[in-house]
Structure formats: structure tokens, C-alpha cells
Amino acid sequence: MLSIEKKDFVSSFQEAIRESYPILQPEQTQSFAFSPQGVVPIAPQVTWRFVDTVDKWNWRVSLASNFVALETTAYLSRRDFLKRLENILVALNESFKPASIERFGLRYIDRIVGQNLQDISSLVKPEIAGMMAVDLEIIFIRLSMNLCCYSRRR
């Protein structure tokens, strides 16, 4: 819906979700398509970002002419996430009454941070962990030695 690009058109959606996502941060976004002719830029579009806090958001709703997304860095439970998603989808339907939905997806990313990231080789099989299972310090030293040797050969 191209009307989503207009600030006035988005106001009813903003009001519907304002209690949980009170801060509006419009953002000009640029997309690209990969085709046989190479990378093709797609016309820039406005993506409306609705967040829960100013400095470092925990929850963010993104709305553009071709998608709506819910993201979090403070996942509590599936029930909490799905309730928030339901509220957003109800607000979307009531505000815009989309004629159709081309696709719907749900992606869960289980991030490993802190000490667990250091211990990844004990948590994940090396063939699945890929580069994360390798001691990057050793790779860096080898790379540095290779670069050093290469530069001496010149």
C-alpha cells in the first residue's frame, strides 16, 4: 500500500499501538534486488519504526508499504511475543484493511552471547558452528604471518 508512505495515513496505526510503542522514528530505507543483470537498486521507501524506548529499544515495530515486522531484544516467552504480534496485526487490519497478504513468516533467532559464545565449540558441533568453532586468534596470527611473508616476497 503506497499510502503507508504518507505520515497522515499512518496516524491511526500509530494511535492503536502507541501504548506499547510510543516513539516514532521514520527511516528512509534502500533495498536492492539481485537479478541476472546484477544488483539492481529498488526505489527508496519510508519505513516507520515504532519503539518502546528512545535510546536502546527492547521492542520495535517496523511498517512499510510491503511489510510489517515485530522485533525484540527482550524475548520473554512465545505467549508474550504472539500476544504483541496479534495486537499489531489487529491494528494493521483496522487501520489499513489490506486486501491480501502475500506472505507471513515468523523467525526466531537464538543468539549466543557472553561466555557462551566463548564456549561455542562445546555447545555446537564444529561442522555446524563453522567459523565460530575455530579459534579466531590463531587464524588472525596465521593471516598476519601470511601477509608478512607475502610482503617480504615483493
Side-chain angles (χ1 to χ4, degrees), residues 83-132:
K83 182 64 179 161
R84 288 172 178 268
L85 181 61
E86 178 184 20
N87 292 340
I88 289 162
L89 295 176
V90 166
L92 180 77
N93 187 52
E94 289 174 358
S95 300
F96 306 117
K97 308 223 181 313
S100 66
I101 296 173
E102 290 182 19
R103 77 177 185 196
F104 180 83
L106 182 62
R107 176 175 38 184
Y108 178 81
I109 300 171
D110 193 3
R111 293 183 353 164
I112 300 175
V113 296
Q115 184 58 41
N116 288 332
L117 185 58
Q118 301 300 319
D119 300 336
I120 194 156
S121 60
S122 66
L123 299 171
V124 180
K125 291 182 179 183
E127 57 270 18
I128 295 173
M131 283 294 292
M132 295 307 299

Side-chain angles (χ1 to χ4, degrees), residues 4 6-14 48 50 63 96:
I4 288 178
K6 298 177 183 134
K7 191 173 189 173
D8 294 342
F9 195 73
V10 177
S11 62
S12 63
F13 180 78
Q14 180 183 16
W48 304 97
F50 304 90
L63 176 68
F96 306 117

